Amino acid sequence: MLKAYAWLTFCVVMWGSNFVFGKMLVQDFSPALLTMLRLLFIVLFLIGLSLYKKHFRRVKKSDLLAISFLGIIGVFINQWSFFVGLQTADPTTSALILATAPILTSILAAIFLKEKLTIRMLLGSIVAITGIYFVVTNGNSTAFHIDKGLFWIVITMITFAIMIILTRHLSHRIDPLTITLHSNVVGLIVSVPFAFLLDNPLQISTKVSDWSFLIGTAIVVHGIATLIWNNNIRHVDASKASILSNLEPFVAMVMGLILLNKLITGAEILGSLLIVGGVVFSTYQRKKLISRAN
């Protein structure tokens, strides 16, 4: 049990650190190109894993449209908007906005999957939104200013919620590895032309260290960490693991301090507590924790 929690904590640290990693990578690679390259190495990793496990499953024609939509919205647009946003947005604030994805997911599930929307969910949403206000304004409403990058991070949060809904819908008949591999292949194919259409100017690093950082973070964050999480989540209490996953914004804060020398403000701490508290309060009634498919 303790070993499982240790591995899950490692995953949370990787996912929380990804906001800082992304902030660092967009200094050396343009967003659409970075998205394409990351997806390329993620797909290569997933193909290697599928070969190792001898786990290649064909997707039925009836599911191709949903897989394609997942690949375009939940993979390509999700990752591209993430990197576009991080060009100017603060990684800690970005992590806090993305932490509200479970709330939007529940709202979408109520609309499309006919799941129940509770009063607890609505109250938790209000608390979380209040927390976002504190973080974005830095506790000073008179100096209210929203970085344009945060709009793209909101798009990232929305596409992530859509990804969860689509994955949940497909998981009734397709295993997670097959969903992940095929959706990432679609995302990669779509990203190739956009890498040259969206980025002006096209920026690419020639340093071996930057490429190693790109490849390493892509495989570890989106490949290895996801597998570790899905393999260990069944060994622990779902509610405790859910709380662990909500610690990503705090990891982003600490990593931002360590790697970017970004000081942590009192408004960020207060906003973080409100956002995470609101999310935990909203989703507390859920007994089952969904595996990450991306």
Side-chain angles (χ1 to χ4, degrees), residues 76-113:
F76 170 64
I77 296 180
N78 175 265
Q79 294 218 23
W80 172 70
S81 61
F82 176 72
F83 291 122
V84 172
L86 285 177
Q87 284 185 306
T88 58
D90 174 71
T92 298
T93 306
S94 302
L96 289 167
I97 290 175
L98 282 175
T100 62
I103 293 176
L104 179 59
T105 301
S106 296
I107 295 172
L108 292 176
I111 297 172
F112 296 105
L113 301 181

PDB file of all heavy atoms in Angstrom, residues 76-113:
ATOM      1  N   PHE A  76      -4.565  17.018 -29.657  1.00  0.00           N
ATOM      2  CA  PHE A  76      -3.855  18.095 -30.357  1.00  0.00           C
ATOM      3  C   PHE A  76      -4.180  19.485 -29.794  1.00  0.00           C
ATOM      4  O   PHE A  76      -3.279  20.218 -29.376  1.00  0.00           O
ATOM      5  CB  PHE A  76      -4.167  18.053 -31.848  1.00  0.00           C
ATOM      6  CG  PHE A  76      -3.672  19.278 -32.578  1.00  0.00           C
ATOM      7  CD1 PHE A  76      -2.311  19.541 -32.656  1.00  0.00           C
ATOM      8  CD2 PHE A  76      -4.560  20.175 -33.149  1.00  0.00           C
ATOM      9  CE1 PHE A  76      -1.845  20.692 -33.302  1.00  0.00           C
ATOM     10  CE2 PHE A  76      -4.108  21.316 -33.790  1.00  0.00           C
ATOM     11  CZ  PHE A  76      -2.747  21.567 -33.862  1.00  0.00           C
ATOM     12  N   ILE A  77      -5.459  19.848 -29.789  1.00  0.00           N
ATOM     13  CA  ILE A  77      -5.826  21.191 -29.314  1.00  0.00           C
ATOM     14  C   ILE A  77      -5.484  21.350 -27.842  1.00  0.00           C
ATOM     15  O   ILE A  77      -5.034  22.414 -27.409  1.00  0.00           O
ATOM     16  CB  ILE A  77      -7.322  21.472 -29.569  1.00  0.00           C
ATOM     17  CG1 ILE A  77      -7.591  21.496 -31.075  1.00  0.00           C
ATOM     18  CG2 ILE A  77      -7.743  22.794 -28.921  1.00  0.00           C
ATOM     19  CD1 ILE A  77      -9.026  21.765 -31.443  1.00  0.00           C
ATOM     20  N   ASN A  78      -5.676  20.286 -27.073  1.00  0.00           N
ATOM     21  CA  ASN A  78      -5.352  20.335 -25.646  1.00  0.00           C
ATOM     22  C   ASN A  78      -3.883  20.668 -25.422  1.00  0.00           C
ATOM     23  O   ASN A  78      -3.554  21.572 -24.635  1.00  0.00           O
ATOM     24  CB  ASN A  78      -5.702  18.992 -25.002  1.00  0.00           C
ATOM     25  CG  ASN A  78      -5.298  18.914 -23.538  1.00  0.00           C
ATOM     26  OD1 ASN A  78      -4.228  18.415 -23.213  1.00  0.00           O
ATOM     27  ND2 ASN A  78      -6.146  19.419 -22.664  1.00  0.00           N
ATOM     28  N   GLN A  79      -2.994  19.975 -26.101  1.00  0.00           N
ATOM     29  CA  GLN A  79      -1.562  20.210 -25.898  1.00  0.00           C
ATOM     30  C   GLN A  79      -1.094  21.507 -26.542  1.00  0.00           C
ATOM     31  O   GLN A  79      -0.278  22.235 -25.980  1.00  0.00           O
ATOM     32  CB  GLN A  79      -0.755  19.024 -26.434  1.00  0.00           C
ATOM     33  CG  GLN A  79      -0.999  17.748 -25.657  1.00  0.00           C
ATOM     34  CD  GLN A  79       0.271  16.933 -25.487  1.00  0.00           C
ATOM     35  OE1 GLN A  79       1.386  17.431 -25.545  1.00  0.00           O
ATOM     36  NE2 GLN A  79       0.098  15.640 -25.254  1.00  0.00           N
ATOM     37  N   TRP A  80      -1.623  21.820 -27.730  1.00  0.00           N
ATOM     38  CA  TRP A  80      -1.210  23.048 -28.408  1.00  0.00           C
ATOM     39  C   TRP A  80      -1.616  24.285 -27.606  1.00  0.00           C
ATOM     40  O   TRP A  80      -0.812  25.192 -27.392  1.00  0.00           O
ATOM     41  CB  TRP A  80      -1.812  23.090 -29.809  1.00  0.00           C
ATOM     42  CG  TRP A  80      -1.579  24.405 -30.498  1.00  0.00           C
ATOM     43  CD1 TRP A  80      -0.396  24.893 -30.961  1.00  0.00           C
ATOM     44  CD2 TRP A  80      -2.565  25.405 -30.782  1.00  0.00           C
ATOM     45  NE1 TRP A  80      -0.583  26.146 -31.522  1.00  0.00           N
ATOM     46  CE2 TRP A  80      -1.897  26.479 -31.428  1.00  0.00           C
ATOM     47  CE3 TRP A  80      -3.940  25.490 -30.560  1.00  0.00           C
ATOM     48  CZ2 TRP A  80      -2.575  27.628 -31.852  1.00  0.00           C
ATOM     49  CZ3 TRP A  80      -4.607  26.633 -30.984  1.00  0.00           C
ATOM     50  CH2 TRP A  80      -3.920  27.686 -31.619  1.00  0.00           C
ATOM     51  N   SER A  81      -2.859  24.321 -27.135  1.00  0.00           N
ATOM     52  CA  SER A  81      -3.321  25.469 -26.345  1.00  0.00           C
ATOM     53  C   SER A  81      -2.543  25.583 -25.035  1.00  0.00           C
ATOM     54  O   SER A  81      -2.303  26.692 -24.544  1.00  0.00           O
ATOM     55  CB  SER A  81      -4.830  25.358 -26.063  1.00  0.00           C
ATOM     56  OG  SER A  81      -5.120  24.183 -25.316  1.00  0.00           O
ATOM     57  N   PHE A  82      -2.129  24.448 -24.496  1.00  0.00           N
ATOM     58  CA  PHE A  82      -1.331  24.429 -23.272  1.00  0.00           C
ATOM     59  C   PHE A  82      -0.013  25.176 -23.484  1.00  0.00           C
ATOM     60  O   PHE A  82       0.365  26.048 -22.694  1.00  0.00           O
ATOM     61  CB  PHE A  82      -1.070  22.975 -22.879  1.00  0.00           C
ATOM     62  CG  PHE A  82      -0.177  22.796 -21.676  1.00  0.00           C
ATOM     63  CD1 PHE A  82      -0.635  23.092 -20.401  1.00  0.00           C
ATOM     64  CD2 PHE A  82       1.117  22.305 -21.818  1.00  0.00           C
ATOM     65  CE1 PHE A  82       0.187  22.912 -19.285  1.00  0.00           C
ATOM     66  CE2 PHE A  82       1.938  22.122 -20.715  1.00  0.00           C
ATOM     67  CZ  PHE A  82       1.469  22.426 -19.448  1.00  0.00           C
ATOM     68  N   PHE A  83       0.673  24.877 -24.580  1.00  0.00           N
ATOM     69  CA  PHE A  83       1.963  25.517 -24.849  1.00  0.00           C
ATOM     70  C   PHE A  83       1.804  26.968 -25.296  1.00  0.00           C
ATOM     71  O   PHE A  83       2.629  27.812 -24.946  1.00  0.00           O
ATOM     72  CB  PHE A  83       2.743  24.711 -25.888  1.00  0.00           C
ATOM     73  CG  PHE A  83       3.209  23.377 -25.389  1.00  0.00           C
ATOM     74  CD1 PHE A  83       2.840  22.201 -26.023  1.00  0.00           C
ATOM     75  CD2 PHE A  83       4.016  23.290 -24.258  1.00  0.00           C
ATOM     76  CE1 PHE A  83       3.271  20.970 -25.560  1.00  0.00           C
ATOM     77  CE2 PHE A  83       4.451  22.060 -23.779  1.00  0.00           C
ATOM     78  CZ  PHE A  83       4.071  20.901 -24.433  1.00  0.00           C
ATOM     79  N   VAL A  84       0.751  27.256 -26.052  1.00  0.00           N
ATOM     80  CA  VAL A  84       0.494  28.644 -26.436  1.00  0.00           C
ATOM     81  C   VAL A  84       0.247  29.494 -25.193  1.00  0.00           C
ATOM     82  O   VAL A  84       0.773  30.600 -25.054  1.00  0.00           O
ATOM     83  CB  VAL A  84      -0.714  28.744 -27.397  1.00  0.00           C
ATOM     84  CG1 VAL A  84      -1.091  30.207 -27.633  1.00  0.00           C
ATOM     85  CG2 VAL A  84      -0.396  28.086 -28.724  1.00  0.00           C
ATOM     86  N   GLY A  85      -0.552  28.959 -24.282  1.00  0.00           N
ATOM     87  CA  GLY A  85      -0.855  29.681 -23.053  1.00  0.00           C
ATOM     88  C   GLY A  85       0.369  29.930 -22.198  1.00  0.00           C
ATOM     89  O   GLY A  85       0.559  31.023 -21.653  1.00  0.00           O
ATOM     90  N   LEU A  86       1.243  28.923 -22.115  1.00  0.00           N
ATOM     91  CA  LEU A  86       2.426  29.034 -21.254  1.00  0.00           C
ATOM     92  C   LEU A  86       3.485  29.982 -21.802  1.00  0.00           C
ATOM     93  O   LEU A  86       4.448  30.299 -21.101  1.00  0.00           O
ATOM     94  CB  LEU A  86       3.040  27.655 -21.016  1.00  0.00           C
ATOM     95  CG  LEU A  86       2.287  26.755 -20.031  1.00  0.00           C
ATOM     96  CD1 LEU A  86       2.960  25.394 -19.940  1.00  0.00           C
ATOM     97  CD2 LEU A  86       2.212  27.386 -18.646  1.00  0.00           C
ATOM     98  N   GLN A  87       3.303  30.456 -23.029  1.00  0.00           N
ATOM     99  CA  GLN A  87       4.230  31.453 -23.551  1.00  0.00           C
ATOM    100  C   GLN A  87       4.207  32.714 -22.691  1.00  0.00           C
ATOM    101  O   GLN A  87       5.230  33.373 -22.510  1.00  0.00           O
ATOM    102  CB  GLN A  87       3.880  31.815 -25.000  1.00  0.00           C
ATOM    103  CG  GLN A  87       4.288  30.774 -26.022  1.00  0.00           C
ATOM    104  CD  GLN A  87       4.024  31.224 -27.435  1.00  0.00           C
ATOM    105  OE1 GLN A  87       2.909  31.606 -27.783  1.00  0.00           O
ATOM    106  NE2 GLN A  87       5.043  31.208 -28.265  1.00  0.00           N
ATOM    107  N   THR A  88       3.027  33.050 -22.166  1.00  0.00           N
ATOM    108  CA  THR A  88       2.908  34.266 -21.344  1.00  0.00           C
ATOM    109  C   THR A  88       2.298  33.996 -19.968  1.00  0.00           C
ATOM    110  O   THR A  88       2.545  34.747 -19.036  1.00  0.00           O
ATOM    111  CB  THR A  88       2.035  35.317 -22.063  1.00  0.00           C
ATOM    112  OG1 THR A  88       0.735  34.755 -22.335  1.00  0.00           O
ATOM    113  CG2 THR A  88       2.681  35.747 -23.373  1.00  0.00           C
ATOM    114  N   ALA A  89       1.517  32.940 -19.832  1.00  0.00           N
ATOM    115  CA  ALA A  89       0.817  32.671 -18.573  1.00  0.00           C
ATOM    116  C   ALA A  89       1.754  32.131 -17.502  1.00  0.00           C
ATOM    117  O   ALA A  89       2.743  31.458 -17.798  1.00  0.00           O
ATOM    118  CB  ALA A  89      -0.328  31.685 -18.800  1.00  0.00           C
ATOM    119  N   ASP A  90       1.426  32.419 -16.272  1.00  0.00           N
ATOM    120  CA  ASP A  90       2.181  31.910 -15.135  1.00  0.00           C
ATOM    121  C   ASP A  90       1.865  30.425 -14.943  1.00  0.00           C
ATOM    122  O   ASP A  90       0.687  30.035 -14.964  1.00  0.00           O
ATOM    123  CB  ASP A  90       1.788  32.692 -13.874  1.00  0.00           C
ATOM    124  CG  ASP A  90       2.413  32.119 -12.635  1.00  0.00           C
ATOM    125  OD1 ASP A  90       3.632  32.264 -12.464  1.00  0.00           O
ATOM    126  OD2 ASP A  90       1.670  31.511 -11.828  1.00  0.00           O
ATOM    127  N   PRO A  91       2.874  29.570 -14.776  1.00  0.00           N
ATOM    128  CA  PRO A  91       2.618  28.125 -14.656  1.00  0.00           C
ATOM    129  C   PRO A  91       1.777  27.745 -13.441  1.00  0.00           C
ATOM    130  O   PRO A  91       0.956  26.823 -13.507  1.00  0.00           O
ATOM    131  CB  PRO A  91       4.025  27.515 -14.578  1.00  0.00           C
ATOM    132  CG  PRO A  91       4.935  28.631 -14.223  1.00  0.00           C
ATOM    133  CD  PRO A  91       4.319  29.863 -14.798  1.00  0.00           C
ATOM    134  N   THR A  92       1.956  28.465 -12.325  1.00  0.00           N
ATOM    135  CA  THR A  92       1.165  28.162 -11.130  1.00  0.00           C
ATOM    136  C   THR A  92      -0.301  28.479 -11.359  1.00  0.00           C
ATOM    137  O   THR A  92      -1.191  27.679 -11.037  1.00  0.00           O
ATOM    138  CB  THR A  92       1.688  28.954  -9.923  1.00  0.00           C
ATOM    139  OG1 THR A  92       3.033  28.576  -9.654  1.00  0.00           O
ATOM    140  CG2 THR A  92       0.835  28.671  -8.693  1.00  0.00           C
ATOM    141  N   THR A  93      -0.584  29.655 -11.907  1.00  0.00           N
ATOM    142  CA  THR A  93      -1.962  30.039 -12.211  1.00  0.00           C
ATOM    143  C   THR A  93      -2.572  29.070 -13.213  1.00  0.00           C
ATOM    144  O   THR A  93      -3.743  28.689 -13.091  1.00  0.00           O
ATOM    145  CB  THR A  93      -2.005  31.473 -12.786  1.00  0.00           C
ATOM    146  OG1 THR A  93      -1.339  32.363 -11.894  1.00  0.00           O
ATOM    147  CG2 THR A  93      -3.439  31.938 -12.971  1.00  0.00           C
ATOM    148  N   SER A  94      -1.790  28.647 -14.193  1.00  0.00           N
ATOM    149  CA  SER A  94      -2.261  27.676 -15.190  1.00  0.00           C
ATOM    150  C   SER A  94      -2.646  26.359 -14.528  1.00  0.00           C
ATOM    151  O   SER A  94      -3.680  25.766 -14.845  1.00  0.00           O
ATOM    152  CB  SER A  94      -1.177  27.439 -16.238  1.00  0.00           C
ATOM    153  OG  SER A  94      -0.812  28.633 -16.884  1.00  0.00           O
ATOM    154  N   ALA A  95      -1.809  25.909 -13.600  1.00  0.00           N
ATOM    155  CA  ALA A  95      -2.088  24.651 -12.890  1.00  0.00           C
ATOM    156  C   ALA A  95      -3.372  24.759 -12.076  1.00  0.00           C
ATOM    157  O   ALA A  95      -4.160  23.807 -12.012  1.00  0.00           O
ATOM    158  CB  ALA A  95      -0.913  24.299 -11.976  1.00  0.00           C
ATOM    159  N   LEU A  96      -3.591  25.922 -11.480  1.00  0.00           N
ATOM    160  CA  LEU A  96      -4.790  26.118 -10.663  1.00  0.00           C
ATOM    161  C   LEU A  96      -6.048  26.143 -11.518  1.00  0.00           C
ATOM    162  O   LEU A  96      -7.093  25.613 -11.119  1.00  0.00           O
ATOM    163  CB  LEU A  96      -4.663  27.411  -9.854  1.00  0.00           C
ATOM    164  CG  LEU A  96      -3.637  27.346  -8.717  1.00  0.00           C
ATOM    165  CD1 LEU A  96      -3.344  28.741  -8.183  1.00  0.00           C
ATOM    166  CD2 LEU A  96      -4.140  26.443  -7.604  1.00  0.00           C
ATOM    167  N   ILE A  97      -5.965  26.759 -12.688  1.00  0.00           N
ATOM    168  CA  ILE A  97      -7.119  26.772 -13.592  1.00  0.00           C
ATOM    169  C   ILE A  97      -7.434  25.354 -14.068  1.00  0.00           C
ATOM    170  O   ILE A  97      -8.596  24.926 -14.080  1.00  0.00           O
ATOM    171  CB  ILE A  97      -6.858  27.706 -14.791  1.00  0.00           C
ATOM    172  CG1 ILE A  97      -6.864  29.164 -14.323  1.00  0.00           C
ATOM    173  CG2 ILE A  97      -7.902  27.494 -15.890  1.00  0.00           C
ATOM    174  CD1 ILE A  97      -6.509  30.160 -15.388  1.00  0.00           C
ATOM    175  N   LEU A  98      -6.404  24.598 -14.427  1.00  0.00           N
ATOM    176  CA  LEU A  98      -6.623  23.226 -14.881  1.00  0.00           C
ATOM    177  C   LEU A  98      -7.119  22.319 -13.760  1.00  0.00           C
ATOM    178  O   LEU A  98      -7.728  21.279 -14.022  1.00  0.00           O
ATOM    179  CB  LEU A  98      -5.339  22.666 -15.485  1.00  0.00           C
ATOM    180  CG  LEU A  98      -5.021  23.131 -16.910  1.00  0.00           C
ATOM    181  CD1 LEU A  98      -3.665  22.618 -17.361  1.00  0.00           C
ATOM    182  CD2 LEU A  98      -6.088  22.659 -17.882  1.00  0.00           C
ATOM    183  N   ALA A  99      -6.860  22.721 -12.517  1.00  0.00           N
ATOM    184  CA  ALA A  99      -7.333  21.925 -11.378  1.00  0.00           C
ATOM    185  C   ALA A  99      -8.849  21.916 -11.275  1.00  0.00           C
ATOM    186  O   ALA A  99      -9.431  21.058 -10.614  1.00  0.00           O
ATOM    187  CB  ALA A  99      -6.727  22.463 -10.081  1.00  0.00           C
ATOM    188  N   THR A 100      -9.501  22.881 -11.941  1.00  0.00           N
ATOM    189  CA  THR A 100     -10.969  22.936 -11.901  1.00  0.00           C
ATOM    190  C   THR A 100     -11.608  22.045 -12.963  1.00  0.00           C
ATOM    191  O   THR A 100     -12.835  22.001 -13.071  1.00  0.00           O
ATOM    192  CB  THR A 100     -11.461  24.380 -12.093  1.00  0.00           C
ATOM    193  OG1 THR A 100     -11.044  24.855 -13.389  1.00  0.00           O
ATOM    194  CG2 THR A 100     -10.887  25.312 -11.030  1.00  0.00           C
ATOM    195  N   ALA A 101     -10.806  21.343 -13.742  1.00  0.00           N
ATOM    196  CA  ALA A 101     -11.341  20.478 -14.799  1.00  0.00           C
ATOM    197  C   ALA A 101     -12.370  19.456 -14.286  1.00  0.00           C
ATOM    198  O   ALA A 101     -13.360  19.198 -14.976  1.00  0.00           O
ATOM    199  CB  ALA A 101     -10.206  19.761 -15.524  1.00  0.00           C
ATOM    200  N   PRO A 102     -12.173  18.850 -13.083  1.00  0.00           N
ATOM    201  CA  PRO A 102     -13.189  17.898 -12.607  1.00  0.00           C
ATOM    202  C   PRO A 102     -14.579  18.509 -12.467  1.00  0.00           C
ATOM    203  O   PRO A 102     -15.580  17.819 -12.647  1.00  0.00           O
ATOM    204  CB  PRO A 102     -12.632  17.462 -11.243  1.00  0.00           C
ATOM    205  CG  PRO A 102     -11.157  17.656 -11.362  1.00  0.00           C
ATOM    206  CD  PRO A 102     -10.998  18.881 -12.195  1.00  0.00           C
ATOM    207  N   ILE A 103     -14.634  19.802 -12.134  1.00  0.00           N
ATOM    208  CA  ILE A 103     -15.933  20.465 -12.004  1.00  0.00           C
ATOM    209  C   ILE A 103     -16.611  20.569 -13.361  1.00  0.00           C
ATOM    210  O   ILE A 103     -17.788  20.234 -13.522  1.00  0.00           O
ATOM    211  CB  ILE A 103     -15.767  21.856 -11.363  1.00  0.00           C
ATOM    212  CG1 ILE A 103     -15.304  21.716  -9.910  1.00  0.00           C
ATOM    213  CG2 ILE A 103     -17.070  22.650 -11.429  1.00  0.00           C
ATOM    214  CD1 ILE A 103     -15.017  23.035  -9.219  1.00  0.00           C
ATOM    215  N   LEU A 104     -15.867  21.039 -14.366  1.00  0.00           N
ATOM    216  CA  LEU A 104     -16.433  21.135 -15.715  1.00  0.00           C
ATOM    217  C   LEU A 104     -16.776  19.755 -16.249  1.00  0.00           C
ATOM    218  O   LEU A 104     -17.804  19.585 -16.931  1.00  0.00           O
ATOM    219  CB  LEU A 104     -15.435  21.832 -16.656  1.00  0.00           C
ATOM    220  CG  LEU A 104     -15.884  21.987 -18.115  1.00  0.00           C
ATOM    221  CD1 LEU A 104     -17.174  22.798 -18.196  1.00  0.00           C
ATOM    222  CD2 LEU A 104     -14.796  22.636 -18.956  1.00  0.00           C
ATOM    223  N   THR A 105     -15.947  18.771 -15.929  1.00  0.00           N
ATOM    224  CA  THR A 105     -16.221  17.393 -16.363  1.00  0.00           C
ATOM    225  C   THR A 105     -17.559  16.916 -15.822  1.00  0.00           C
ATOM    226  O   THR A 105     -18.354  16.282 -16.542  1.00  0.00           O
ATOM    227  CB  THR A 105     -15.105  16.444 -15.898  1.00  0.00           C
ATOM    228  OG1 THR A 105     -13.855  16.885 -16.433  1.00  0.00           O
ATOM    229  CG2 THR A 105     -15.369  15.021 -16.363  1.00  0.00           C
ATOM    230  N   SER A 106     -17.835  17.211 -14.552  1.00  0.00           N
ATOM    231  CA  SER A 106     -19.100  16.799 -13.937  1.00  0.00           C
ATOM    232  C   SER A 106     -20.287  17.495 -14.589  1.00  0.00           C
ATOM    233  O   SER A 106     -21.350  16.895 -14.769  1.00  0.00           O
ATOM    234  CB  SER A 106     -19.071  17.111 -12.442  1.00  0.00           C
ATOM    235  OG  SER A 106     -18.078  16.351 -11.796  1.00  0.00           O
ATOM    236  N   ILE A 107     -20.106  18.766 -14.947  1.00  0.00           N
ATOM    237  CA  ILE A 107     -21.176  19.500 -15.630  1.00  0.00           C
ATOM    238  C   ILE A 107     -21.443  18.898 -17.008  1.00  0.00           C
ATOM    239  O   ILE A 107     -22.600  18.679 -17.404  1.00  0.00           O
ATOM    240  CB  ILE A 107     -20.814  20.999 -15.752  1.00  0.00           C
ATOM    241  CG1 ILE A 107     -20.746  21.636 -14.358  1.00  0.00           C
ATOM    242  CG2 ILE A 107     -21.826  21.737 -16.623  1.00  0.00           C
ATOM    243  CD1 ILE A 107     -20.224  23.054 -14.352  1.00  0.00           C
ATOM    244  N   LEU A 108     -20.369  18.601 -17.749  1.00  0.00           N
ATOM    245  CA  LEU A 108     -20.512  17.980 -19.070  1.00  0.00           C
ATOM    246  C   LEU A 108     -21.118  16.579 -18.963  1.00  0.00           C
ATOM    247  O   LEU A 108     -21.920  16.174 -19.804  1.00  0.00           O
ATOM    248  CB  LEU A 108     -19.155  17.906 -19.768  1.00  0.00           C
ATOM    249  CG  LEU A 108     -18.528  19.243 -20.183  1.00  0.00           C
ATOM    250  CD1 LEU A 108     -17.142  19.015 -20.785  1.00  0.00           C
ATOM    251  CD2 LEU A 108     -19.415  19.978 -21.173  1.00  0.00           C
ATOM    252  N   ALA A 109     -20.717  15.849 -17.909  1.00  0.00           N
ATOM    253  CA  ALA A 109     -21.264  14.505 -17.696  1.00  0.00           C
ATOM    254  C   ALA A 109     -22.762  14.572 -17.413  1.00  0.00           C
ATOM    255  O   ALA A 109     -23.528  13.705 -17.835  1.00  0.00           O
ATOM    256  CB  ALA A 109     -20.534  13.814 -16.543  1.00  0.00           C
ATOM    257  N   ALA A 110     -23.178  15.624 -16.693  1.00  0.00           N
ATOM    258  CA  ALA A 110     -24.602  15.799 -16.405  1.00  0.00           C
ATOM    259  C   ALA A 110     -25.383  16.087 -17.683  1.00  0.00           C
ATOM    260  O   ALA A 110     -26.523  15.647 -17.860  1.00  0.00           O
ATOM    261  CB  ALA A 110     -24.787  16.937 -15.407  1.00  0.00           C
ATOM    262  N   ILE A 111     -24.745  16.825 -18.614  1.00  0.00           N
ATOM    263  CA  ILE A 111     -25.413  17.198 -19.860  1.00  0.00           C
ATOM    264  C   ILE A 111     -25.450  16.037 -20.853  1.00  0.00           C
ATOM    265  O   ILE A 111     -26.503  15.716 -21.420  1.00  0.00           O
ATOM    266  CB  ILE A 111     -24.716  18.415 -20.505  1.00  0.00           C
ATOM    267  CG1 ILE A 111     -24.831  19.636 -19.589  1.00  0.00           C
ATOM    268  CG2 ILE A 111     -25.319  18.719 -21.878  1.00  0.00           C
ATOM    269  CD1 ILE A 111     -24.013  20.824 -20.048  1.00  0.00           C
ATOM    270  N   PHE A 112     -24.284  15.386 -21.053  1.00  0.00           N
ATOM    271  CA  PHE A 112     -24.172  14.396 -22.115  1.00  0.00           C
ATOM    272  C   PHE A 112     -24.324  12.950 -21.643  1.00  0.00           C
ATOM    273  O   PHE A 112     -24.751  12.087 -22.416  1.00  0.00           O
ATOM    274  CB  PHE A 112     -22.826  14.549 -22.832  1.00  0.00           C
ATOM    275  CG  PHE A 112     -22.677  15.865 -23.543  1.00  0.00           C
ATOM    276  CD1 PHE A 112     -21.870  16.864 -23.018  1.00  0.00           C
ATOM    277  CD2 PHE A 112     -23.354  16.107 -24.726  1.00  0.00           C
ATOM    278  CE1 PHE A 112     -21.727  18.082 -23.662  1.00  0.00           C
ATOM    279  CE2 PHE A 112     -23.221  17.317 -25.382  1.00  0.00           C
ATOM    280  CZ  PHE A 112     -22.413  18.318 -24.853  1.00  0.00           C
ATOM    281  N   LEU A 113     -23.938  12.671 -20.394  1.00  0.00           N
ATOM    282  CA  LEU A 113     -24.024  11.294 -19.886  1.00  0.00           C
ATOM    283  C   LEU A 113     -25.148  11.109 -18.879  1.00  0.00           C
ATOM    284  O   LEU A 113     -25.271  10.051 -18.265  1.00  0.00           O
ATOM    285  CB  LEU A 113     -22.676  10.894 -19.250  1.00  0.00           C
ATOM    286  CG  LEU A 113     -21.457  10.957 -20.164  1.00  0.00           C
ATOM    287  CD1 LEU A 113     -20.200  10.519 -19.404  1.00  0.00           C
ATOM    288  CD2 LEU A 113     -21.653  10.109 -21.409  1.00  0.00           C
TER     289      LEU A 113
END
